């Protein structure tokens, strides 16, 4: 085999390995998202689609956050196999649109959540909106410059970035800064608002008050979600910056392929937890006086009611209302059916026999 044939063989093998890696990077997060959807599908039906208190904007935001990343992965799988030029162009631009929609969901939710926690602090809300718009604008510009192109196998339908290297690096840095600062500010705000304010709960006749504990801040108020989003975002951003500082080098990490699926899963679960906790609040199982200072007053800020709906707790440590009702009914029925609770039953007979024996022994002792 000549040197030319050997080099050609290595190039073909490298191309097919690259295609195989692309397929694996698509299938792994897609299966992950599908599995998580199946795990939470019963809660989704109950608290998103069947709940009468759920608003249209909440459902739209949930669909964008939960399903758009999955749709983009499924559509991208269609570009792995040979297709016509017309199909490649149409599918390529459709994927770009879906990717933009997938980025909008988590960004809008983070801005809504942070604004609801910030209350009447318009400056902080404005900063979060600007940072969120920076991420969305970066995604839109990147999608606009990614043109689909149909190549010979094994590349098939691919995309080429028509943006200049300088412009691409500039927008990448802006997008990285906006994304990291947005998640970081949301994390810090969640900690400060929930840690520095007193909390109060009521469950039946039991009250507890004081500063929020660490489990409450992490789970109930959702700080753990923002931390889980912040870690891969920061890691991917650092590796992107290192790639920009080394021109001509390929991407230093594949973490970027998993940041969108991670954001989709965590945001979807975060919203489900908020909807479930709000359902418990509405049914009177849990009352948290702390939330009255976190959520907006609908009477004074009626135009921002849709923002306040994202400011509730992300988790409740109390049982489900329906389970409470069933359990209370069961205990009540057992109490009524017990011999001690039945007038004139075996319970009364045993009590009478015990009293008679006690009196008889007392008289003998006398």
């Amino acid at each position: 085999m000549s040197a030319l044939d050997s080099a050609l063989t290595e190039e073909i093998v490298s191309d097919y390995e690259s295609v195989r890696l692309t397929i694996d990077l698509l299938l792994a997060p897609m299966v992950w998202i599908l599995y998580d959807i199946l795990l939470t599908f019963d809660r989704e039906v109950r608290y998103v689609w069947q709940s009468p208190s759920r608003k249209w904007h909440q459902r739209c935001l949930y669909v964008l956050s939960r399903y758009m990343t999955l749709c983009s992965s499924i559509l991208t799988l269609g570009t792995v196999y040979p297709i016509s030029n017309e199909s490649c162009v149409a599918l390529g631009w459709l994927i770009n649109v879906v990717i933009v929609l997938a980025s909008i969901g988590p960004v809008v939710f983070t801005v809504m959540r942070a604004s609801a926690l910030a209350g009447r602090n318009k400056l902080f809300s404005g900063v979060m909106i600007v940072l969120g718009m920076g991420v969305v604008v970066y995604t839109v510009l990147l999608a606009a410059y990614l043109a689909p192109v149909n190549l010979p196998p094994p590349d098939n339908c691919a995309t080429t970035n028509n943006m200049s290297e300088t412009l691409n690096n500039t927008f990448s840095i802006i997008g990285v800064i906006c994304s990291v600062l947005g998640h970081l500010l949301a994390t810090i705000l969640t900690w400060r608002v929930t840690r520095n304010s007193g909390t109060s709960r009521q469950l039946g006749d039991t009250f507890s008050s004081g500063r929020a504990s660490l489990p409450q801040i992490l789970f109930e108020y959702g700080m753990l979600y923002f931390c889980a989003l912040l870690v891969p975002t920061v890691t991917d951003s650092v590796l992107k910056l290192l790639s920009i500082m080394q021109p001509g080098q390929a991407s230093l990490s594949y973490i970027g392929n998993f940041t969108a699926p991670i954001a989709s899963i965590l945001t979807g679960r975060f919203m489900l937890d908020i909807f479930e906790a709000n359902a418990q609040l509405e049914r009177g199982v849990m009352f948290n006086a702390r939330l009255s200072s976190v959520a907006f007053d609908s009477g004074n800020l009626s135009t921002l009611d849709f923002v306040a709906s994202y400011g509730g707790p992300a988790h409740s440590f109390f049982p489900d209302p329906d389970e409470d009702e069933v359990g209370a009914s069961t205990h009540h029925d057992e109490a009524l059916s017990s011999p001690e609770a039945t007038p004139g039953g075996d319970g009364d007979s045993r009590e009478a026999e015990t009293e008679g024996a006690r009196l008889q022994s007392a008289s003998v002792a006398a």
Side-chain angles (χ1 to χ4, degrees):
M1 179 181 294
S2 64
L4 181 60
D5 293 337
S6 178
L8 182 61
T9 302
E10 291 180 359
E11 183 179 354
I12 294 175
V13 172
S14 177
D15 290 341
Y16 276 95
E17 287 180 350
S18 177
V19 172
R20 178 58 185 271
L21 180 60
T22 301
I23 296 176
D24 293 340
L25 291 175
L26 287 172
L27 287 176
M30 185 175 67
V31 173
W32 190 10
I33 295 175
L34 278 173
Y35 179 68
D36 190 71
I37 289 175
L38 292 176
L39 289 179
T40 59
F41 189 70
D42 57 335
R43 297 172 61 205
E44 176 183 332
V45 172
R46 181 177 180 182
Y47 296 112
V48 177
W49 306 114
Q50 293 183 347
S51 176
S53 61
R54 200 62 53 233
K55 306 299 183 181
W56 66 268
H57 59 82
Q58 295 174 326
R59 289 172 176 158
C60 290
L61 186 58
Y62 181 82
V63 170
L64 290 176
S65 304
R66 191 63 157 161
Y67 291 102
M68 288 299 102
T69 302
L70 176 63
C71 290
S72 67
S73 299
I74 295 175
L75 291 174
T76 306
L77 280 177
T79 64
V80 175
Y81 304 97
I83 56 177
S84 63
N85 293 332
E86 295 77 9
S87 300
C88 177
V89 172
L91 187 58
W93 287 115
L94 178 60
I95 292 172
N96 290 345
V97 173
V98 174
I99 289 176
V100 172
L101 294 176
S103 68
I104 291 176
V107 170
V108 171
F109 175 76
T110 301
V111 172
M112 293 288 191
R113 177 71 178 179
S115 298
L117 291 177
R120 293 175 173 82
N121 191 335
K122 295 182 179 180
L123 177 60
F124 184 87
S125 300
V127 171
M128 289 299 300
I129 291 174
V130 171
L131 294 176
M133 289 180 61
V135 176
V136 174
V137 169
Y138 162 71
T139 307
V140 171
L141 290 175
L142 183 62
Y145 280 92
L146 287 177
V149 54
N150 208 4
L151 301 175
D155 295 323
N156 298 316
C157 187
T159 56
T160 177
N161 192 351
N162 295 326
M163 189 182 299
S164 64
E165 184 177 355
T166 303
L167 190 61
N168 183 47
N169 292 340
T170 302
F171 284 129
S172 297
I173 293 174
I174 294 175
V176 163
I177 293 175
C178 292
S179 180
V180 172
L181 284 181
H183 289 100
L184 183 61
L185 289 178
T187 305
I188 295 174
L189 178 68
T190 303
W191 172 266
R192 293 193 61 182
V193 169
T194 57
R195 184 60 177 170
N196 296 334
S197 301
T199 59
S200 175
R201 277 200 187 86
Q202 175 186 7
L203 181 62
D205 296 329
T206 305
F207 292 86
S208 64
S209 61
R211 298 181 68 184
S213 62
L214 183 60
Q216 285 178 253
I217 298 174
L218 291 178
F219 295 100
E220 186 173 355
Y221 296 107
M223 183 177 176
L224 184 63
Y225 293 90
F226 288 121
C227 291
L229 286 172
L230 182 62
V231 171
T233 302
V234 171
T235 305
D236 182 54
S237 301
V238 170
L239 294 175
K240 279 184 178 180
L241 292 177
L242 291 177
S243 299
I244 293 174
M245 295 170 60
Q246 300 176 4
Q249 295 290 331
S251 178
L252 299 176
S253 174
Y254 295 106
I255 295 179
N257 299 89
F258 295 93
T259 51
I262 290 174
S264 174
I265 292 173
L266 292 179
T267 305
R269 281 184 170 268
F270 200 166
M271 295 184 70
L272 284 178
D273 290 341
I274 290 178
F275 295 159
E276 183 177 2
N278 287 343
Q280 294 183 2
L281 283 167
E282 293 170 359
R283 297 179 188 182
V285 174
M286 180 185 70
F287 174 78
N288 197 327
R290 170 68 189 83
L291 299 178
S292 62
S293 61
V294 172
F296 287 126
D297 183 359
S298 59
N300 298 329
L301 297 173
S302 57
T303 57
L304 297 178
D305 286 346
F306 71 98
V307 178
S309 61
Y310 300 99
H315 181 75
S316 171
F317 291 104
F318 300 104
D320 188 84
D322 295 337
E323 295 179 359
D324 285 351
E325 294 175 1
V326 173
S329 176
T330 303
H331 292 313
H332 181 66
D333 293 341
E334 290 177 354
L336 291 178
S337 61
S338 62
E340 289 79 0
T342 305
D346 295 339
D348 291 346
S349 300
R350 285 196 295 269
E351 290 180 0
E353 292 174 358
T354 303
E355 184 68 18
R358 187 180 62 79
L359 293 176
Q360 183 178 1
S361 60
S363 61
V364 171

